[in-house]
Amino acid sequence: MRKKEPRAARIAEALDLPLDIICDIPRTEIMGNTSINVENFRGILDYNESCVKINTTVGIIKIEGDELFIESITDEGAFIKGKIIRVEFI
């Protein structure tokens, strides 16, 4: 790693720990085009059947699709289902 990288990132690498846990960055897992799980988020900014916007520490994750719905929200993450057409980090 270069010296300009954040201290937390260097520590995570040295201890062989996941960067998302140490630096509180979002972790996304997309299953085909039917569901997405977003962990380490700060809140839901917008929600309707064609768009879900999720606030994170590194920006907004915009999920576009058809018949989208939030199946569950927990302290760990949000699980969104429907026909996913696009995922954008803005």
Side-chain angles (χ1 to χ4, degrees), residues 17-84:
L17 294 171
L19 189 61
D20 59 315
I21 293 172
I22 300 297
C23 296
D24 195 32
I25 58 174
R27 178 182 181 101
T28 59
E29 181 179 13
I30 302 171
M31 284 74 62
N33 69 337
T34 60
S35 62
I36 183 170
N37 189 38
V38 180
E39 298 176 356
N40 296 335
F41 71 101
R42 291 188 169 179
I44 305 294
L45 299 174
D46 189 22
Y47 169 53
N48 60 57
E49 67 179 21
S50 63
C51 181
V52 179
K53 291 182 183 175
I54 301 174
N55 191 22
T56 72
T57 57
V58 297
I60 297 169
I61 298 173
K62 181 179 178 183
I63 302 158
E64 295 178 333
D66 294 319
E67 300 178 7
L68 298 177
F69 65 97
I70 299 174
E71 183 171 270
S72 65
I73 297 178
T74 66
D75 291 340
E76 291 82 35
F79 190 66
I80 296 133
K81 293 185 92 172
K83 182 180 178 189
I84 297 171

